[in-house]
Amino acid sequence: MAAWRVERPGPIDGRPLRLERDVVPDPGPGELLVRVLACGVCRTDLHVTEGDLPVHRPRVVPGHEVVGEVVGTGGGTGAYAIGDRVGIAWLRHTCGRCRYCLRGAENLCPNSRYTGWDADGGYAEYTTVPADFAHPLPKGYSDGELAPLLCAGIIGYRALERAALPAGGRLGIYGFGGSAHLAAQVALARGAEIHVMTRDSAARELALELGAASAQGAADPPPEKLDAAILFAPVGDLVLPAMAALDRGGVLSIAGIHLSDVPALNYQRHLFQEREIRSVTANTRADAREFLAFAGEHRLEVSAHPYPLDAADRALADLARGRFAGAAVLVP
């Protein structure tokens, strides 16, 4: 099979990815062998490739937004059978025994493992997944539309839940890429008013097309005080204007796995009056089930830009340079 591997993490312009011919993996006990039909290109893939995240598996195959067809099993795979379409997301393993798992916070499990970081992912023609961490897919979407739902959508959903947006409230979104444009639609469907702050003019146009009340520059103040905000851009400098834009009791949810350093906060301007900052760490399987069920009941508009598998390095470079609004998807 064809597979991209991170040969040596570094800047994407230095071509750290290498396309190779590799053997099709064998599924272990409880695992599914999946033929990849589509794989989303996530900013986390860029962090893995460029070395912003530490190496967990040398020469890993990135990719954790995988839509695929089950073509083999390692036994003990429960309800899944050959020919089923499944989704593979970021979370791949938790221990099920630690105090975090036992209280329903498996995303905080110290023994958690992740697709495309700890195990080979979907920048390939085939991959594997533990059956317990595979996801049934909603109907009514193409493979290319489904792929971004499996991380961008799930993480955006968790970030929205962490933001504690009140019913009918005003939500600010900082950065408007693959995850943000899906989270915005969930919030709009729930009756929220959306204000988008992003540097990219095409992303501002997309935000307004999807129903945002306003769209302005990345650090510009929104026209109204915000009840909650989500920071999707991995830019620590934006924490300050986002916190300053919050109304009393507002919450800023930081969605990314990586963020550049945050400048010093001023207590009166940024935190007083019970404003809060919350991080988001991965997701639980319950988050995934809830979001995918929501996507099955509410048709989400997915802005997907297809790339052939052999152009994965170009897709990541285009993501790094902000050359598209929405999400890129690899199609083998």
Side-chain angles (χ1 to χ4, degrees):
M1 70 172 185
W4 286 91
R5 293 192 177 275
V6 181
E7 184 68 22
R8 181 177 295 122
I12 193 65
D13 290 339
R15 303 182 70 83
L17 285 173
R18 178 174 293 179
L19 181 61
E20 300 181 354
R21 298 299 299 179
D22 210 338
V23 297
V24 175
D26 290 323
E31 290 187 344
L32 307 172
L33 174 63
V34 173
R35 180 171 67 89
V36 177
L37 302 175
C39 182
V41 177
C42 179
R43 188 164 293 276
T44 302
D45 301 334
L46 186 63
H47 295 319
V48 169
T49 300
E50 294 198 312
D52 295 324
L53 297 178
V55 174
H56 279 196
R57 179 184 176 91
R59 303 188 72 251
V60 73
V61 176
H64 56 274
E65 297 179 326
V66 182
V67 175
E69 178 188 0
V70 177
V71 294
T73 72
T77 53
Y80 294 109
I82 304 298
D84 288 347
R85 289 169 74 249
V86 297
I88 303 175
W90 176 236
L91 186 67
R92 180 184 178 89
H93 168 85
T94 56
C95 73
R97 300 183 301 273
C98 70
R99 63 194 182 103
Y100 305 103
C101 287
L102 293 176
R103 76 184 193 205
E106 67 177 1
N107 61 306
L108 302 179
C109 175
N111 301 302
S112 56
R113 295 198 292 269
Y114 300 94
T115 309
W117 192 19
D118 296 287
D120 289 340
Y123 284 25
E125 293 177 306
Y126 294 87
T127 191
T128 64
V129 62
D132 288 345
F133 286 80
H135 299 289
L137 296 168
K139 296 180 180 179
Y141 297 86
S142 69
D143 295 336
E145 291 171 325
L146 284 168
L149 301 185
L150 290 161
C151 180
I154 294 169
I155 293 298
Y157 179 82
R158 183 169 183 86
L160 180 59
E161 295 295 289
R162 292 281 290 162
L165 179 67
R170 296 182 297 273
L171 175 68
I173 294 179
Y174 289 80
F176 204 75
S179 191
H181 90 286
L182 296 170
Q185 293 178 70
V186 176
L188 287 165
R190 292 175 171 177
E193 179 182 305
I194 305 293
H195 299 278
V196 170
M197 279 61 68
T198 181
R199 66 184 182 180
D200 184 75
S201 59
R204 290 196 292 270
E205 291 177 11
L206 176 60
L208 294 173
E209 289 172 7
L210 292 175
S214 74
Q216 42 273 313
D220 292 341
E224 301 179 81
K225 283 290 187 180
L226 305 172
D227 297 304
I230 305 174
L231 175 57
F232 286 101
V235 182
D237 287 346
L238 292 178
V239 171
L240 272 65
M243 292 301 294
L246 289 177
D247 205 349
R248 299 176 182 219
V251 174
L252 171 64
S253 172
I254 299 176
I257 192 173
H258 171 78
L259 186 71
S260 61
D261 289 345
V262 179
L265 298 170
N266 177 279
Y267 181 69
Q268 294 292 332
R269 188 179 311 128
H270 302 123
L271 289 174
F272 190 54
Q273 296 172 336
E274 300 194 350
R275 286 172 283 185
E276 298 180 42
I277 301 175
R278 297 179 179 176
S279 67
V280 175
T281 300
N283 62 275
T284 66
R285 282 171 286 178
D287 294 326
R289 288 192 295 268
E290 290 172 12
F291 170 71
L292 293 172
F294 183 94
E297 296 167 0
H298 301 78
R299 184 60 168 83
L300 302 177
E301 294 300 321
V302 184
S303 179
H305 303 270
Y307 289 76
L309 178 61
D310 62 10
D313 54 349
R314 177 163 57 87
L316 273 180
D318 288 350
L319 172 65
R321 297 177 185 125
R323 287 178 173 162
F324 53 78
V329 178
L330 303 178
V331 181

